[in-house]
Amino acid sequence: MTGNVILQLLLYMVMLALLAKPLGAYMAAVYEGERTFLSALLGPLERLTFRLCGVDPTKESNWKRYLAGVLLFNLVGFVFVYLLQRLQGFLPLNPQGFPAISPDSSFNTAVSFATNTNWQGYAGESTMSTLTQMLGLAVQNFVSAASGMAVLVALIRGFARRQVAEIGNFWVDLTRSTVYILLPLSLILSIVLMSQGVVQSFSAYREVQLVEPLNVEMPVKNQAGDVVLESSGKPVTRPEKVTTQVVPLGPVASQVAIKQLGTNGGGFFNANSAHPFENPTPLANFLELLSILLIPAALCHTFGRMVRDPRQGRAVLIAMFAIFIPLTFAAAGAEQWGNPRLEALGVDARASGLQSGGNMEGKETRFGIANSVLWSTATTAASNGSVNAMHGSFTPLGGLVPMWLIQLGEVVFGGVGSGLYGMLMFAIVAVFIGGLMVGRTPEYLGKKIESFEVKMASLVLLIPPAIVLVGTAVACVLPAGTSSVGNPGAHGFSEMLYAFSSAGNNNGSAFASLSANTPFYNTMLGAAMWGARYWLMIPVLAIAGSLAAKRATAVTAGTLPTHTPLFIVMLVGVVLLVGALTFVPALALGPVVEHLQMLTKG
């Protein structure tokens, strides 16, 4: 691994850690209703929203009413985005005249954006109108992220409160997350990105002259529009000179900002963050990359402040870094080492420097290995899913790392809100194991962890793996699943496993080469995204209600401290152990086999 790679990775980690603390303190003040430096500017907008929606900000609810609000709001968002796509051809702000989107693709996309997954089986610039991108997808980028943040805040209140039934008001938490946190951060980032060249326009697509015309082979079509084939089955082609190119335009910067800050990841363009109109410069790349993990990292400090013990938040954040940093360097090392099978092509890879230069397949030369690897691990550690390189073109071990980060449950930073409440479920299991070791009832943050909390936390940990493994198994045995695979053997299995890992953990990135925009995958992955989002929110909020009703327990000599290095090691161990026991057999059939095949000469 080169010094340049190490320096870039360390710079990113340091900047993330430095920015997380002040933002975390600000968010804690927002959720506790304290006055902030933005209150004078945004307070009227907050109060106007409450009046228009008929919300009483002083009235709180128990966990069941809170959950009902979450599910109802997200259901309305799903239906709205679905109908917007189906009626797209009749609606305004459609300068390219795109027709309605198919029912199965509309279902998949509506679920995807409502659940904060943002899986894309379509090419945005050739499928979605400006109105659909703005009113449907961009709006869901805000409110789906805010929904996850609201559920987290409700759980934190469960830890912080004593012998009460109420855990907050979902509509207040949703509004404050959007108005005070996501909106101002997105506004600032979008302006900076526009200064770097990210497109922000309502114009129709433009046809421009190429600086250097291209000579290409185009397939010959008959009068019916079908491609003419040779006797061998190959298409008949003819040379053609291309002198123009269609440049897609749209409100890109505003969507890119919230897709990163809200750990959404859905791109305006099919190439996502590898597209020069979404990610034009090294500075834009760094800022977008920093935005992916900024709020998830800052929420750890928010958690510590709201439970009145900042050490607890730091412990969770350190545990996240303890998993993220080694895996990022492992992926970078695998990509920097390259592919020894180059020698099988008659190339002396080491002598020519090809292998020592690393694996550049599927990567943008503007960013190189360091930024491509860092993006791949950041986007899969968070439930972001945006990409600036093709994960399917990574080396087998380089591709295994982002896949496994997803499979760990999206808790190493994770999605905004959802990542931290997932990690807190692991913390509950860790203190339960600690309690078994010393023979006493486990406690966390002054609350006894009893059978109900352990059962609910177990559901949160077990539902995503069940969705992933069952979905992958079904895809492997049905022709509708295998027919979409672009590569044979172990890599093809990895494509299916990655797709269901991404959907079953609300990530949204893809391994590429899998043709997922089919009725089978649109339906299966849509169902996976739905279950992975809402069937986890139910037990999380149930735990919040149970904890809020409990009294505080006194700290004694037998209480397990949950802010010490020992507990951090326990927490990391539980996360890795659950991930290993669950997914290592499946990974052995995919990336591990492919790595062994790569090392085998012949």
Side-chain angles (χ1 to χ4, degrees):
M1 192 183 304
T2 65
N4 177 55
V5 172
I6 295 173
L7 180 62
Q8 291 193 62
L9 298 182
L10 291 179
L11 174 64
Y12 176 81
M13 309 294 180
V14 171
M15 288 295 295
L16 178 63
L18 291 177
L19 292 174
K21 186 173 183 179
L23 179 58
Y26 167 75
M27 290 192 292
V30 167
Y31 288 124
E32 293 187 326
E34 299 175 4
R35 187 172 181 82
T36 68
F37 68 96
L38 289 177
S39 296
L41 178 64
L42 299 176
L45 177 59
E46 177 193 10
R47 292 188 290 272
L48 176 62
T49 303
F50 291 154
R51 283 198 297 270
L52 292 176
C53 298
V55 174
D56 181 359
T58 63
K59 186 177 181 180
E60 296 192 349
S61 61
N62 60 28
W63 76 268
K64 293 180 181 179
R65 288 182 60 86
Y66 199 101
L67 173 64
V70 174
L71 297 181
L72 177 62
F73 179 77
N74 282 263
L75 177 61
V76 171
F78 160 76
V79 173
F80 179 77
V81 176
Y82 178 83
L83 293 177
L84 197 61
Q85 295 174 86
R86 297 293 293 138
L87 300 174
Q88 175 175 271
F90 304 100
L91 296 174
L93 286 178
N94 187 4
Q96 301 308 118
F98 291 141
I101 299 165
S102 67
D104 59 288
S105 181
S106 296
F107 166 77
N108 183 277
T109 303
V111 173
S112 178
F113 279 78
T115 59
N116 199 238
T117 308
N118 305 89
W119 170 274
Q120 291 178 273
Y122 60 88
E125 67 268 40
S126 60
T127 306
M128 299 290 186
S129 70
T130 299
L131 182 68
T132 304
Q133 293 268 25
M134 292 176 57
L135 192 58
L137 308 188
V139 168
Q140 285 302 309
N141 282 348
F142 278 96
V143 296
S144 64
S147 295
M149 296 167 75
V151 172
L152 169 65
V153 172
L155 177 62
I156 295 175
R157 292 195 188 104
F159 283 111
R161 294 183 175 182
R162 306 287 186 264
Q163 295 180 286
V164 297
E166 295 77 21
I167 59 172
N169 185 320
F170 167 70
W171 309 106
V172 172
D173 294 336
L174 178 80
T175 302
R176 289 177 176 169
S177 297
T178 304
V179 171
Y180 287 102
I181 300 169
L182 297 175
L183 191 60
L185 286 175
S186 297
L187 180 61
I188 294 170
L189 181 59
S190 61
I191 292 173
V192 175
L193 292 178
M194 281 189 285
S195 74
Q196 295 299 296
V198 179
V199 176
Q200 184 75 9
S201 170
F202 290 102
S203 298
Y205 295 179
R206 303 288 181 85
E207 187 172 2
V208 299
Q209 293 290 325
L210 292 177
V211 176
E212 297 181 1
L214 301 175
N215 294 314
V216 298
E217 293 290 327
M218 298 294 293
V220 177
K221 296 183 179 180
N222 56 28
Q223 292 181 346
D226 299 323
V227 176
V228 178
L229 302 178
E230 298 176 351
S231 57
S232 62
K234 295 182 179 180
V236 177
T237 62
R238 64 185 175 199
E240 188 173 315
K241 188 173 186 180
V242 178
T243 59
T244 63
Q245 176 183 358
V246 176
V247 177
L249 301 173
V252 180
S254 55
Q255 187 163 325
V256 169
I258 185 56
K259 88 166 185 178
Q260 307 298 23
L261 287 164
T263 60
N264 297 283
F268 192 95
F269 302 107
N270 187 43
N272 207 278
S273 296
H275 198 290
F277 286 1
E278 281 200 27
N279 192 4
T281 67
L283 178 59
N285 185 79
F286 184 80
L287 293 176
E288 291 179 30
L289 187 53
L290 194 61
S291 301
I292 294 174
L293 298 184
L294 180 59
I295 294 179
L299 282 170
C300 294
H301 292 288
T302 302
F303 165 64
R305 283 180 173 265
M306 291 184 70
V307 298
R308 303 295 184 266
D309 189 352
R311 299 174 301 174
Q312 304 294 335
R314 286 197 297 269
V316 174
L317 183 60
I318 291 171
M320 291 178 176
F321 271 116
I323 300 173
F324 179 69
I325 293 176
L327 288 179
T328 300
F329 276 92
E335 294 305 297
Q336 194 73 61
W337 185 60
N339 188 348
R341 290 299 296 272
L342 288 172
E343 297 178 10
L345 302 176
V347 178
D348 187 348
R350 294 187 183 277
S352 64
L354 289 174
Q355 187 172 336
S356 61
N359 173 38
M360 281 298 295
E361 180 188 345
K363 298 179 178 64
E364 271 281 351
T365 55
R366 295 178 297 149
F367 306 131
I369 289 175
N371 285 285
S372 295
V373 166
L374 182 55
W375 195 296
S376 74
T377 55
T379 197
T380 51
S383 63
N384 182 267
S386 65
V387 294
N388 72 353
M390 292 296 99
H391 294 181
S393 293
F394 280 28
T395 61
L397 295 185
L400 181 149
V401 170
M403 189 188 301
W404 198 44
L405 277 168
I406 296 175
Q407 293 167 346
L408 290 178
E410 299 283 61
V411 297
V412 183
F413 299 107
V416 287
S418 61
L420 182 52
Y421 68 61
M423 182 62 95
L424 292 178
M425 297 301 103
F426 275 105
I428 287 175
V429 173
V431 297
F432 173 71
I433 295 173
L436 292 178
M437 291 179 177
V438 298
R440 59 173 287 147
T441 303
E443 301 168 9
Y444 189 50
L445 300 179
K447 298 292 182 74
K448 287 188 178 296
I449 303 301
E450 297 174 298
S451 61
F452 179 78
E453 289 80 23
V454 175
K455 290 176 183 176
M456 293 298 103
S458 299
L459 287 176
V460 176
L461 303 189
L462 296 177
I463 287 174
I467 291 173
V468 172
L469 295 175
V470 171
T472 304
V474 171
C476 286
V477 298
L478 294 181
T482 56
S483 62
S484 293
V485 176
N487 294 285
H491 195 85
F493 175 77
S494 294
E495 292 173 10
M496 292 185 285
L497 178 62
Y498 193 105
F500 281 96
S501 298
S502 181
N505 289 280
N506 295 133
N507 182 264
S509 64
F511 220 44
S513 299
L514 181 73
S515 300
N517 194 9
T518 64
F520 173 80
Y521 277 106
N522 280 332
T523 304
M524 288 287 292
L525 295 177
M529 291 183 279
W530 195 283
R533 180 70 164 179
Y534 301 116
W535 282 104
L536 270 59
M537 285 183 170
I538 295 172
V540 167
L541 288 174
I543 290 175
S546 174
L547 293 175
K550 294 186 177 186
R551 66 181 65 184
T553 57
V555 177
T556 66
T559 302
L560 173 67
T562 54
H563 61 273
T564 61
L566 174 62
F567 181 75
I568 293 171
V569 172
M570 285 184 59
L571 180 56
V572 170
V574 170
V575 173
L576 296 180
L577 189 60
V578 170
L581 292 177
T582 306
F583 287 106
V584 163
L587 292 171
L589 298 175
V592 175
V593 167
E594 190 178 3
H595 177 71
L596 296 176
Q597 290 173 336
M598 183 184 74
L599 296 179
T600 304
K601 297 182 179 180

